[in-house]
């Protein structure tokens, strides 16, 4: 038993420092190959599964046999030792999304995670979507807004320690496809069957039928060929998972006279791993299993707490071998790789200091902790302890842009760093384009740095506006028409009428979309492309160079609303930046007993300004016992200067 204790300590310590890599829409599944080197992979300790079945669709006739198949798979998984959540039957999109995200909690504490889905699915332009019971496929917008992309399911099982499995029994004759094909306003590609999907390493996905094929359904009293074969494969002991999937393919082909051919894709590091090992795994010696990471900002639970502008990710090791966690944003990627960062103004963006919406919002690292009781005894969790050392403020200049909707042909350069700008110089060109797709070519063409115009910018601490009216008038012959339209929009409460330029009425009749919000994108676009060199007031910080791309409003757009960001001030961890070593202790007071087996909490790390911190986390319980301890890690917390000034830290 002593050896088991040591092994479990290594597992939890390695597990804590695996972090997510974020994008606006999804985060790639995690790869635990490194972790697998420290455990006997054939001795699987924990397996978790979620079974989803949808057959009672609101806008289509019921499917036959889906619930029967799902119950068979759920029962089989329980019989072979999987910890299964309650069968999710006929769930709408909100319910499915929440349950899949909630399953991540179980997957994070399991060696193997599996999601089995039975119901309708559809391919749209090469991407696969599963359909909740309230799916609406009448038009393109409703289709994208009422389905769930397969990537969300793949990400959920990707949290498992060793490997994940997704099973899609969804290759059915899909009436939704015909609905979408008949929508003349939708310029998308839909097809029968599902598109091939290449999962991340250590994730397997099995389909009930090959692309273009339709899987046979059960009749409600007998399972479908695929469900029978998959349940049989699960029940067979010690069969490597890849061989199990190969067995399913051959068995279904035999049952259906080769009219249905399941297939799978993906890979696992150890080809001997089995979903149903005969050797019983010893009980974990630790009382609790704990996982700690920086939160996935696409997680529904996280979104309920706070709206993020960007997430954080693992980005290599520092000079001392500590893992670096920094914002997951192209700006910071460029700096880390020694490249010039590029800043872009929002298309007719919103800039209002009173609301603090200035491009980068506040995106503090959010610590996401899950603890599970591993024995029948009651476990108390009393404190989260944070040890901090080598904290220091980051004095680098971080620059952003906005194209304010209430100013004609202006950019606002705002300083999100914590050192003032002494002076700046912008070398640039002006371009007038009809198609925004042309802009990337223009940017590439300007990499030689040859620009026609120059503007010198006075020093500033927070922001500085730059007016381009004179430069644009040289490029845009209709400049006076746009300028008059901008200041005399019908939506303006006090338009500046003045005298209309000659020919304005005729021009406006030819361009009626100027004041049509739905069609404003068809108007000409003015771009500023250039390079900005900034000198900080603290000369020890050195000069900063930024590539600039700004799209300027040439008509009166509708402004976009902003707002305050709120965090729970009671349950946040305040970080100092004075360089001293210190400790933060946060009371939790929670019991894991027969009623509650798993507990999850989230806490933001909140410094006063952008800064770097070396941190270690410990979870205390059971009368002062240390239940969990992470490794030291180096975290950069980015706090935008303007947004921080107007943020509200109040209890939600």
């Amino acid at each position: 038993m002593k050896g088991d204790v040591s092994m479990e300590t290594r597992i939890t310590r390695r597990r804590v420092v695996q972090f997510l890599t974020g994008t606006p829409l999804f985060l790639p599944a995690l790869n635990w190959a490194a972790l697998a080197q420290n455990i006997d992979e054939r001795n699987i300790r924990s397996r978790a599964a979620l079974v989803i079945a949808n057959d009672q669709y609101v806008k289509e006739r019921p499917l036959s046999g889906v619930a029967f198949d799902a119950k068979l798979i759920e029962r089989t998984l329980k019989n072979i030792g999987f910890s299964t959540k309650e069968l999710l039957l006929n769930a709408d999109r909100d319910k499915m999304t929440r349950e899949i995200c909630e399953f991540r909690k179980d997957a994070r504490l399991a060696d193997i995670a599996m999601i089995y889905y039975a119901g309708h699915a559809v391919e749209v332009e090469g991407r696969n979507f599963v359909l909740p019971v309230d799916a609406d496929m009448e038009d393109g917008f409703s289709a994208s807004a009422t389905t769930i992309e397969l990537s969300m399911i793949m990400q959920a099982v990707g949290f498992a320690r060793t490997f994940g499995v997704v099973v899609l029994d969804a290759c059915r004759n899909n009436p939704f496809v015909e609905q979408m094909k008949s929508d003349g306003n939708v310029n998308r590609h839909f097809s029968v069957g599902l598109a091939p999907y290449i999962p991340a390493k250590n994730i397997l996905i099995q389909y009930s039928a090959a692309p273009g094929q339709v899987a046979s359904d059960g009749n409600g009293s007998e399972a479908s060929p695929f469900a029978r074969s998959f349940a049989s494969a699960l029940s067979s002991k010690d069969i490597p998972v890849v061989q199990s999937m190969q067995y399913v393919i051959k068995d279904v082909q035999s049952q259906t006279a080769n009219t249905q051919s399941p297939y799978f894709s993906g890979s696992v590091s150890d080809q001997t791993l089995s979903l149903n090992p005969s050797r019983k795994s010893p009980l974990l010696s630790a009382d609790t299993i704990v996982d700690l990471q920086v939160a996935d900002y696409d997680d529904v639970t996280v979104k309920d707490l706070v709206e993020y502008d960007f997430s954080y990710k693992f980005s290599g090791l520092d000079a001392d071998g500590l893992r670096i966690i920094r914002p997951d944003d192209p700006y910071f990627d460029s700096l880390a790789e020694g490249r010039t960062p590029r800043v872009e103004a929002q298309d007719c963006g919103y800039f209002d200091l009173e609301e603090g919406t200035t491009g980068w919002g506040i995106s503090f690292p959010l610590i996401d902790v899950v603890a599970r009781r591993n024995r029948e005894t009651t476990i108390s969790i009393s404190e989260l302890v944070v040890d901090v050392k080598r904290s220091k403020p980051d004095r680098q200049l971080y620059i952003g842009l906005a194209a304010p909707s209430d100013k004609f042909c202006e950019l606002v350069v705002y300083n999100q760093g914590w050192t003032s700008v002494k002076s700046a110089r912008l070398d640039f060109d002006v371009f007038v384009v009809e198609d925004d797709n042309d802009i990337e070519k223009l940017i590439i063409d300007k990499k030689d740095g040859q620009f026609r115009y120059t503007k010198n910018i006075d020093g500033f601490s927070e922001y500085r506006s730059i007016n381009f009216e004179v430069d644009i008038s040289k490029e845009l012959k209709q400049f006076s028409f746009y300028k008059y339209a901008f200041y005399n929009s019908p939506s303006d409460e006090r338009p500046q009428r003045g005298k209309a330029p000659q020919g304005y009425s005729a021009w406006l009749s030819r361009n009626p979309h100027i004041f049509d919000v739905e069609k404003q994108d068809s108007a000409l676009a003015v771009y500023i492309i250039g390079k900005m060199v900034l000198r900080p007031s603290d000369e020890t910080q050195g000069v900063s160079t930024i590539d600039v791309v700004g799209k300027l409003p040439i008509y009166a757009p509708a402004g976009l609303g902003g707002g305050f960001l709120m965090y729970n001030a009671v349950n946040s961890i305040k970080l100092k930046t004075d360089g001293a070593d210190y400790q933060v202790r946060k009371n939790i007071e929670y019991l894991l007993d027969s009623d509650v087996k798993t507990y999850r909490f989230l806490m933001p790390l909140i410094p006063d300004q952008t800064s770097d911190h070396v941190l270690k986390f410990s979870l205390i319980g059971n009368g002062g016992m240390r239940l969990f301890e992470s490794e030291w890690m180096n975290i950069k917390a980015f706090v935008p200067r303007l947004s921080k000034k107007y943020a509200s830290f109040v209890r939600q």
Side-chain angles (χ1 to χ4, degrees):
M1 293 300 289
K2 212 170 183 181
D4 288 338
V5 173
S6 175
M7 181 187 302
E8 180 56 23
T9 301
R10 289 199 301 273
I11 291 174
T12 55
R13 288 185 179 181
R14 288 191 62 84
R15 180 72 173 110
V16 71
V17 290
Q18 300 290 342
F19 288 84
L20 300 173
T21 302
T23 69
L25 293 178
F26 66 92
L27 299 174
L30 299 181
N31 174 7
W32 300 115
L35 172 63
Q37 297 172 5
N38 286 316
I39 63 174
D40 178 1
E41 291 185 317
R42 284 174 260 185
N43 187 16
I44 298 299
R45 298 167 179 269
S46 175
R47 293 166 291 169
L50 171 64
V51 179
I52 305 171
N54 292 331
D55 60 5
Q56 301 295 321
Y57 285 89
V58 174
K59 297 203 171 185
E60 284 300 331
R61 62 180 178 79
L63 285 170
S64 174
V66 169
F68 189 91
D69 289 355
K71 290 175 182 177
L72 169 64
I73 300 302
E74 180 193 36
R75 186 167 60 251
T76 304
L77 288 168
K78 285 182 178 179
N79 288 341
I80 67 172
F82 270 78
S83 172
T84 61
K85 297 179 72 69
E86 183 179 351
L87 173 65
L88 186 59
L89 183 62
N90 293 320
D92 60 20
R93 186 174 186 270
D94 287 345
K95 179 68 172 176
M96 275 189 68
T97 300
R98 286 199 171 276
E99 288 299 320
I100 293 170
C101 288
E102 181 67 15
F103 180 69
R104 294 179 181 186
K105 182 171 66 177
D106 299 301
R108 283 166 57 178
L109 302 175
D111 294 304
I112 298 176
M114 178 189 296
I115 292 181
Y116 182 101
Y117 171 80
H120 277 313
V122 65
E123 175 204 341
V124 182
E125 294 181 334
R127 296 160 61 195
N128 295 325
F129 297 83
V130 298
L131 306 188
V133 294
D134 59 344
D136 183 354
M137 310 293 283
E138 291 183 357
D139 54 51
F141 175 79
S142 59
S144 60
T146 61
T147 59
I148 293 176
E149 190 165 359
L150 174 60
S151 60
M152 175 181 283
I153 296 176
M154 303 299 290
Q155 292 154 23
V157 301
F159 281 87
R161 294 168 182 252
T162 306
F163 73 96
V165 178
V166 172
V167 182
L168 285 182
D169 187 4
C171 306
R172 292 176 163 80
N173 188 6
N174 195 336
F176 289 109
V177 173
E178 295 306 317
Q179 288 183 29
M180 295 304 298
K181 286 182 176 179
S182 65
D183 180 7
N185 296 319
V186 178
N187 184 22
R188 294 184 177 182
H189 175 253
F190 295 82
S191 66
V192 176
L194 297 174
Y197 185 99
I198 301 177
K201 189 175 180 181
N202 286 323
I203 298 181
L204 297 171
I205 179 170
Q206 180 147 41
Y207 299 84
S208 60
Q213 290 184 342
V214 176
S216 300
D217 287 330
N219 57 20
S221 60
E222 184 180 29
S224 67
F226 177 77
R228 288 200 304 271
S229 295
F230 190 73
S232 176
L234 287 173
S235 300
S236 301
K237 292 186 177 296
D238 298 322
I239 304 298
V241 60
V242 171
Q243 291 184 26
S244 294
M245 292 185 170
Q246 292 170 338
Y247 163 80
V248 172
I249 295 172
K250 294 179 181 179
D251 192 49
V252 172
Q253 288 174 337
S254 175
Q255 292 185 60
T256 63
N258 291 320
T259 60
Q260 180 180 340
S261 297
Y263 78 104
F264 71 92
S265 63
S267 63
V268 291
S269 298
D270 188 341
Q271 297 295 315
T272 67
L273 287 169
S274 173
L275 295 171
N276 186 10
S278 59
R279 183 172 60 166
K280 298 299 183 182
S281 300
L283 290 175
L284 290 170
S285 56
D287 290 334
T288 55
I289 304 175
V290 179
D291 174 76
L292 182 148
Q293 61 183 241
V294 172
D296 169 2
Y297 80 128
D298 272 346
D299 189 310
V300 171
T301 305
V302 176
K303 283 185 175 181
D304 284 347
L305 175 67
V306 66
E307 187 67 28
Y308 267 70
D309 272 6
F310 50 71
S311 186
Y312 283 73
K313 67 179 179 182
F314 163 67
S315 60
L317 304 176
D318 67 12
D320 297 324
L322 303 183
R323 293 173 182 264
I324 301 172
I325 311 302
R326 62 172 170 81
D328 182 17
D329 185 88
Y331 192 106
F332 295 89
D333 292 341
S334 297
L335 290 175
E337 295 164 11
R339 296 183 287 111
T340 301
R342 187 168 103 186
V343 290
E344 300 184 7
Q346 298 174 2
D347 179 4
C348 302
Y350 185 85
F351 183 80
D352 187 341
L353 283 178
E354 292 306 314
E355 298 194 58
T357 305
T358 53
W360 280 319
I362 298 180
S363 299
F364 297 112
L366 189 65
I367 299 304
D368 186 354
V369 181
V370 176
R372 187 180 74 197
R373 180 173 64 104
N374 191 51
R375 295 185 175 183
E376 295 305 316
T377 56
T378 297
I379 304 296
S380 68
I381 300 176
S382 57
E383 276 188 311
L384 176 69
V385 178
V386 185
D387 290 291
V388 189
K389 63 182 182 180
R390 297 199 334 237
S391 295
K392 61 180 180 180
D394 180 356
R395 296 294 184 183
Q396 182 163 331
L397 291 173
Y398 294 102
I399 300 298
L401 297 176
S405 59
D406 60 343
K407 299 289 181 62
F408 184 65
C409 296
E410 279 194 5
L411 281 182
V412 176
V413 183
Y414 52 93
N415 174 20
Q416 296 289 31
W418 292 84
T419 294
S420 297
V421 176
K422 182 178 181 180
S423 65
R425 171 186 168 126
L426 174 63
D427 296 310
F428 68 97
D429 269 331
V430 178
F431 298 92
V432 181
V433 299
E434 294 185 7
D435 186 350
D436 284 354
N437 293 329
D438 296 337
I439 196 61
E440 284 300 325
K441 182 178 183 304
L442 292 173
I443 294 172
I444 294 173
D445 291 344
K446 278 297 165 186
K447 283 192 177 296
D448 58 5
Q450 300 299 315
F451 301 105
R452 290 177 293 172
Y453 306 109
T454 295
K455 283 191 182 296
N456 291 309
I457 306 168
D458 295 334
F460 61 96
S461 61
E462 291 188 344
Y463 68 97
R464 178 72 72 228
S465 297
I466 307 174
N467 192 301
F468 291 94
E469 289 189 16
V470 174
D471 307 298
I472 292 174
S473 65
K474 299 175 183 178
E475 302 294 323
L476 183 60
K477 294 179 181 179
Q478 299 172 331
F479 176 81
S480 59
F481 295 153
Y482 278 108
K483 184 174 182 180
Y484 185 81
F486 182 94
Y487 287 117
N488 292 281
S489 166
S491 62
D492 287 348
E493 294 181 3
R494 288 180 287 182
Q496 303 172 23
R497 295 294 178 194
K499 184 178 180 180
Q502 186 176 0
Y504 174 77
S505 297
W507 173 82
L508 188 60
S509 66
R510 294 192 302 270
N511 298 275
H513 58 267
I514 290 300
F515 299 119
D516 186 342
V517 175
E518 299 297 326
K519 298 180 180 179
Q520 283 177 351
D521 288 342
S522 61
L524 292 175
V526 172
Y527 276 92
I528 300 298
I529 300 175
K531 188 176 294 290
M532 185 181 298
V533 178
L534 303 109
R535 297 186 180 278
S537 56
D538 181 357
E539 296 183 357
T540 63
Q541 298 301 314
V543 173
S544 295
T545 301
I546 309 292
D547 290 331
V548 171
V549 179
K551 183 177 181 181
L552 304 181
I554 54 176
Y555 49 80
L560 302 176
F564 291 102
L565 301 176
M566 295 185 182
Y567 286 81
N568 189 328
V570 175
N571 292 321
S572 61
I573 299 169
K574 301 294 180 65
L575 299 179
K576 304 174 185 178
T577 57
D578 57 7
D581 294 351
Y582 63 97
Q583 190 177 79
V584 180
R585 308 182 78 94
K586 304 297 293 187
N587 290 329
I588 297 176
E589 303 298 338
Y590 203 87
L591 287 180
L592 297 175
D593 52 24
S594 58
D595 294 326
V596 180
K597 189 175 182 179
T598 305
Y599 176 55
R600 180 186 185 187
F601 62 90
L602 302 101
M603 287 189 186
L605 304 174
I606 302 180
D608 291 331
Q609 57 183 288
T610 300
S611 46
D612 297 285
H613 308 265
V614 175
L615 309 172
K616 180 177 70 173
F617 301 90
S618 303
L619 202 61
I620 308 299
N622 283 9
M625 180 185 299
R626 192 175 298 269
L627 303 175
F628 165 82
E629 182 178 275
S630 77
E631 293 181 293
W632 289 96
M633 61 194 75
N634 190 334
I635 295 182
K636 176 182 289 296
F638 178 66
V639 183
R641 180 176 192 147
L642 293 181
S643 296
K644 174 67 169 69
K645 182 176 179 179
Y646 297 98
S648 173
F649 302 113
V650 298
R651 185 168 184 171
Q652 291 183 298

